[in-house]
Amino acid sequence: MKIAVFHNLYTGGALNYMNNLVKCLSIQNSVDIYSFQKTTPINIKNVKYYTYDLNKTNNLFQHLFQVLVELRIKNKIIAEKINSSSNYDLVLIFPCLITQSPFLLRYIDQKKIKTIYFFMESKREFYEKTTYDHWSLKRIIARIIRCPIKLIDLSNCKKSNIIVSLSCYSSNLLKKVYKKKSFVIHPGLINIKPKTKFKNNNQQFISVGLLSAIKGHDFSIQQTTKNNCNLLIIGRENKNEIIPTNSSNTKIIHTENNKLVYKLTKKATFFLANQINEPFGISTLEASSLNTFVLGKNEGGTPEIVRHGLNGFLYPSNLPLAIKITNKFKNIKQLRYQKTCKISWSKTTHNLLTLYHHLKNEPTE
């Protein structure tokens, strides 16, 4: 089978999802990746790469022009190349960091080629508080100017016929915001029969993700500072935001090195999943699979990974309560908990291909 994959993603959970899926698919299939980014896996058998450059923008108005004109044209070029090929059996479309739902959904011939759009999240800047200065005059004006991008995202998403969501939470969000239905395939997640585990408590807490307000690092800082706990924050630097912290017990590491994140997560006793309505949380899944006990907010897709009282403990978005719960767990010398899940990207790939074969002979809307 020959598969075309499109994405416009920086490093992070969504790109890791795509990379792992491509690695598994390429074992028995030929895969072509189309992207505006060069942050893709290299030297994988049966994978070809087609990258397209976008002009750099220096201000908000240039960026808006790029969205309305350049991005549309280049998506159309990619679509024409895919449509003109008689070899593709399946097209997998991942999000665009600029418009969220990419223009490609408008131009791919979905009647000719089965096309699956992976819905990760909404264009959150328009629906949620995503920055520390979200209600500043500067941010408000920027959102007003960028409003056409919100409309483009909505319009593009509605062009998709087949959508895969990360979680039940993201599926419900898709219905609410975009009025679209989807199939839920949890990325990498396999639920297993609970296995009892023990872990010595080194009182090391870790929080992983883009250094942005929406990842809840400020909540984690306050939660651990009040309990005099050591907190390690790891994530890609966001130059537009500065995490507010005066805590001497908090260390921040700016990195995109997945191996380092893996090593430090495994070493820590507690993983803090305080992201604001995280659609799924691959870093949370990785922490749980590494036997790191998860303390996190009972919201978004986190409850679909963390089974309360077994592989972690969930609480509402209430800082005093989170502080109290953290204090309770930090004083336990040895944690006894249940491992309830593990990671298998081959299983995720199998689920995706099962969906494809199920839909292959059905007429496309």
Side-chain angles (χ1 to χ4, degrees):
M1 190 162 71
K2 189 166 184 180
I3 303 169
V5 177
F6 170 84
H7 84 92
N8 185 26
L9 297 164
Y10 283 150
T11 54
L15 186 63
N16 289 341
Y17 180 11
M18 190 216 74
N19 286 345
N20 284 297
L21 206 59
V22 167
K23 288 176 185 177
C24 291
L25 287 170
S26 65
I27 294 173
Q28 295 183 336
N29 305 283
S30 175
V31 181
D32 292 346
I33 296 179
Y34 296 84
S35 179
F36 299 111
Q37 302 292 326
K38 297 179 181 179
T39 52
T40 50
I42 58 174
N43 299 325
I44 300 178
K45 187 179 179 181
N46 295 331
V47 177
K48 292 182 180 179
Y49 302 88
Y50 300 93
T51 57
Y52 299 77
D53 291 329
L54 286 176
N55 294 323
K56 291 184 178 180
T57 57
N58 297 317
N59 58 60
L60 198 57
F61 295 100
Q62 286 183 2
H63 179 74
L64 189 60
F65 177 81
Q66 182 183 68
V67 173
L68 296 174
V69 180
E70 183 188 7
L71 198 62
R72 186 191 299 263
I73 291 172
K74 293 200 173 181
N75 270 260
K76 195 169 186 177
I77 290 171
I78 294 172
E80 288 174 351
K81 182 170 182 178
I82 294 173
N83 290 334
S84 63
S85 172
S86 58
N87 298 324
Y88 289 120
D89 302 287
L90 175 64
V91 179
L92 304 179
I93 298 181
F94 285 81
C96 171
L97 61 91
I98 301 174
T99 61
Q100 195 61 32
S101 302
F103 280 110
L104 202 68
L105 291 165
R106 292 174 181 250
Y107 305 125
I108 288 291
D109 187 351
Q110 298 185 46
K111 293 181 179 180
K112 175 185 174 184
I113 314 171
K114 284 295 179 186
T115 302
I116 297 177
Y117 171 48
F118 288 83
F119 176 74
M120 304 292 183
E121 59 188 14
S122 62
K123 192 64 176 167
R124 299 181 74 174
E125 67 178 284
F126 298 108
Y127 305 103
E128 302 176 55
K129 181 181 177 182
T130 58
T131 60
Y132 296 112
D133 59 345
H134 185 79
W135 295 114
S136 68
L137 182 60
K138 176 184 176 181
R139 292 287 185 182
I140 292 172
I141 293 173
R143 284 196 296 276
I144 292 173
I145 295 173
R146 287 169 56 82
C147 197
I149 300 176
K150 175 184 178 181
L151 300 177
I152 286 169
D153 170 49
L154 286 166
S155 178
N156 288 348
C157 185
K158 289 181 179 180
K159 296 293 183 180
S160 55
N161 292 331
I162 304 170
I163 303 177
V164 166
S165 295
L166 296 171
S167 61
C168 295
Y169 169 79
S170 59
S171 179
N172 290 333
L173 183 66
L174 181 69
K175 290 179 186 177
K176 179 181 177 181
V177 177
Y178 300 88
K179 315 302 180 189
K180 298 287 289 185
K181 295 181 180 180
S182 65
F183 299 90
V184 176
I185 298 179
H186 292 107
L189 173 65
I190 294 185
N191 290 311
I192 62 174
K193 183 179 179 181
K195 296 180 181 178
T196 302
K197 297 287 183 179
F198 295 90
K199 189 164 188 176
N200 292 330
N201 186 358
N202 62 11
Q203 297 190 4
Q204 177 64 61
F205 292 75
I206 191 169
S207 181
V208 176
L210 176 69
L211 303 182
S212 173
I214 207 159
K215 293 302 181 181
H217 296 305
D218 56 332
F219 188 98
S220 298
I221 291 169
Q222 296 178 72
Q223 178 183 357
T224 52
T225 299
K226 293 290 184 180
N227 287 296
N228 197 31
C229 299
N230 293 321
L231 173 63
L232 181 61
I233 298 175
I234 309 175
R236 175 164 56 86
E237 184 178 10
N238 185 352
K239 295 181 180 179
N240 295 323
E241 295 190 64
I242 300 175
I243 296 177
T245 176
N246 293 316
S247 172
S248 59
N249 291 340
T250 299
K251 181 179 180 181
I252 299 176
I253 297 178
H254 301 150
T255 184
E256 300 173 14
N257 187 323
N258 289 330
K259 290 183 179 179
L260 178 60
V261 174
Y262 178 96
K263 179 181 177 181
L264 294 174
T265 300
K266 186 176 183 179
K267 184 178 179 181
T269 303
F270 301 100
F271 180 92
L272 298 180
N274 289 323
Q275 306 96 325
I276 300 173
N277 288 324
E278 183 83 347
F280 182 67
I282 290 178
S283 60
T284 303
L285 173 61
E286 290 173 342
S288 186
S289 70
L290 292 171
N291 302 325
T292 303
F293 195 75
V294 180
L295 297 176
K297 293 180 181 178
N298 187 21
E299 63 183 39
T302 301
E304 295 174 51
I305 302 170
V306 179
R307 296 172 64 180
H308 180 69
L310 294 180
N311 63 333
F313 199 94
L314 300 173
Y315 39 75
S317 185
N318 180 299
L319 184 58
L321 180 58
I323 291 171
K324 184 177 179 180
I325 291 170
T326 303
N327 184 58
K328 175 184 175 181
F329 280 102
K330 79 155 190 174
N331 292 319
I332 299 175
K333 291 184 178 180
Q334 187 180 61
L335 289 174
R336 181 182 184 275
Y337 57 95
Q338 303 291 314
K339 183 170 184 174
T340 63
C341 62
K342 65 179 183 179
I343 294 178
S344 173
W345 291 105
S346 60
K347 178 63 176 177
T348 304
T349 306
H350 171 77
N351 291 341
L352 177 66
L353 292 178
T354 299
L355 173 64
Y356 163 72
H357 289 299
H358 175 72
L359 297 171
K360 184 169 64 171
N361 297 319
E362 292 187 5
T364 304
E365 295 180 5

